[in-house]
Amino acid sequence: MPSLDQALLAALHNRQDLLAELHAQGTDCYRLFHGSQEGAGGLTIDRYGRQLLIQSFHQSLSRDELLQLAEQCQASLGKQLLLVYNDRSQGNSRIDRSDPVYQAEPAALEDLVGHEWGLNYRVRGRHAGQDPLLFLDLRNARGWVKAHSAGKSVLNLFAYTCGVGLSAAAGGAREVVNLDFAEGNLAVGRENGVLNPELTPMQFIQSDYFPAIRQLAGLPIAARRGHKLPPYPRLTPRQFDLVFLDPPAWAKSAFGTVDLLRDYQSLLKPAILATAEDGVLICCNNLAKVALADWREQVMRCASKLGRPLRDCQVVAPAADFPSLDGQPPLKTLILQF
């Protein structure tokens, strides 16, 4: 097995053409080392604008190892970056905030700005999540949305920090609605809007997915036996030209359970019904144990049962900074055209 230094050098070499392409299109947020596929499981190295983020999930790095990796990356890029090291190897992927290996400079932990497809994004190297507010493996899907949103109404479900919504606005969408349960996520989405003042303002709805999408789809909202439903925003049934569905792997609320392995259809069905007759639904599944072919068949069968057969079904794979040795990356994205 190659040493860590050799593995990183090979990864940086393999990315030369991709990075030149990304820089030319106005992108400085990308993965420099995808350890699980490039020789060091549990280690990732990402660039987010002026920030270099190194994270270890299985085993802590020594200070010498960390600084050597950072130097290799900066030498390859020809830039000095602000280093943040998040050691998540101690349990439950939580950061060791005592920073026994490396204490980041205060400037590195400030809110910064990264760029993708020419857009400005708020990035934060250390917060409760595992990414600085922008999931890098979804870049190609955001690029597709940006290229195909002109004049459309767009619904961004499980919007997180609203990167898909921002891409749609940049692509000329006439209306963009971002829906997420967490106000903190939407607050960052609002920041992203402020960072791109030339774009049409987006809309934001804080709501659990199930009551919101079922209202939009014209379906009833049922309480579980013995449970009273909490308050939720009231929405009018309607359809959108482009709907983006990117749910987490698992989540539970008073309204229902998100379970990508056992029950993707409960998420998909109302999203299909909220998509216009000649519209587009983009759906994602980030579970590695779910095979693309099996999931695609399930999605197409669900659409057919609803009387909404597909005219086309495309796959959008992550870019080359997320290599997959078996050609089956965890993140799977389908573009469904009705």
Side-chain angles (χ1 to χ4, degrees), residues 11-289:
L12 293 171
H13 175 77
N14 291 338
R15 282 164 172 73
Q16 287 183 356
D17 290 345
L18 172 65
L19 296 189
E21 178 183 334
L22 293 176
H23 295 159
Q25 68 187 209
T27 296
D28 60 13
C29 296
Y30 40 73
R31 177 149 292 182
L32 291 167
F33 186 67
H34 193 50
S36 65
Q37 302 292 302
E38 296 185 288
L43 178 66
T44 61
I45 305 178
D46 298 318
R47 179 188 178 186
Y48 285 87
R50 297 170 53 216
Q51 180 185 92
L52 182 69
L53 177 66
I54 299 180
Q55 301 197 95
S56 54
F57 294 86
H58 295 169
Q59 184 176 349
S60 300
L61 295 171
S62 70
R63 182 179 176 85
D64 287 346
E65 288 174 326
L66 175 69
L67 296 180
Q68 175 64 22
L69 294 175
E71 181 55 38
Q72 286 179 252
C73 292
Q74 293 176 121
S76 177
L77 294 170
K79 291 183 178 295
Q80 289 296 308
L81 300 175
L82 297 167
L83 175 61
V84 175
Y85 174 49
N86 290 338
D87 181 14
R88 298 176 176 272
S89 64
Q90 302 307 308
N92 200 29
S93 294
R94 293 178 180 172
I95 300 168
D96 183 351
R97 295 181 182 272
S98 65
D99 290 328
V101 175
Y102 178 81
Q103 176 68 56
E105 299 176 15
L109 296 177
E110 292 178 357
D111 284 3
L112 301 173
V113 176
H115 308 88
E116 182 187 271
W117 297 105
L119 299 171
N120 302 321
Y121 285 90
R122 170 66 66 224
V123 295
R124 189 175 297 146
R126 182 167 293 175
H127 66 108
Q130 292 186 359
D131 68 288
L133 308 177
L134 184 68
F135 285 112
L136 299 178
D137 54 354
L138 203 61
R139 183 194 318 116
N140 280 354
R142 286 189 291 266
W144 194 97
V145 169
K146 184 172 183 284
H148 296 85
S149 292
K152 295 181 178 180
S153 58
V154 177
L155 175 62
N156 181 22
L157 301 166
F158 297 100
Y160 188 42
T161 56
C162 308
V164 167
L166 195 70
S167 299
R174 73 173 188 275
E175 178 187 16
V176 177
V177 178
N178 297 291
L179 186 142
D180 198 272
F181 178 74
E183 174 55 34
N185 292 342
L186 296 179
V188 178
R190 292 186 178 92
E191 283 190 66
N192 285 334
V194 171
L195 290 171
N196 297 271
E198 73 284 0
L199 302 183
T200 300
M202 300 182 289
Q203 301 173 44
F204 304 89
I205 299 175
Q206 182 187 3
S207 174
D208 185 283
Y209 173 76
F210 290 105
I213 195 63
R214 292 186 70 84
Q215 288 180 92
L216 292 171
L219 299 172
I221 301 170
R224 289 186 295 169
R225 180 174 297 179
H227 292 76
K228 182 179 179 181
L229 290 177
Y232 55 88
R234 304 295 168 157
L235 303 174
T236 301
R238 62 165 298 190
Q239 293 183 320
F240 292 80
D241 301 318
L242 191 156
V243 175
F244 199 99
L245 175 63
D246 183 19
W250 193 90
K252 188 173 183 178
S253 76
F255 298 97
T257 300
V258 174
D259 188 340
L260 301 197
L261 180 62
R262 298 173 183 84
D263 191 15
Y264 197 93
Q265 289 187 354
S266 68
L267 306 172
L268 184 63
K269 176 182 175 180
I272 291 175
L273 296 176
T275 305
E277 290 294 329
D278 58 350
V280 174
L281 171 61
I282 304 174
C283 53
C284 303
N285 190 319
N286 57 34
L287 279 184
K289 63 179 67 176

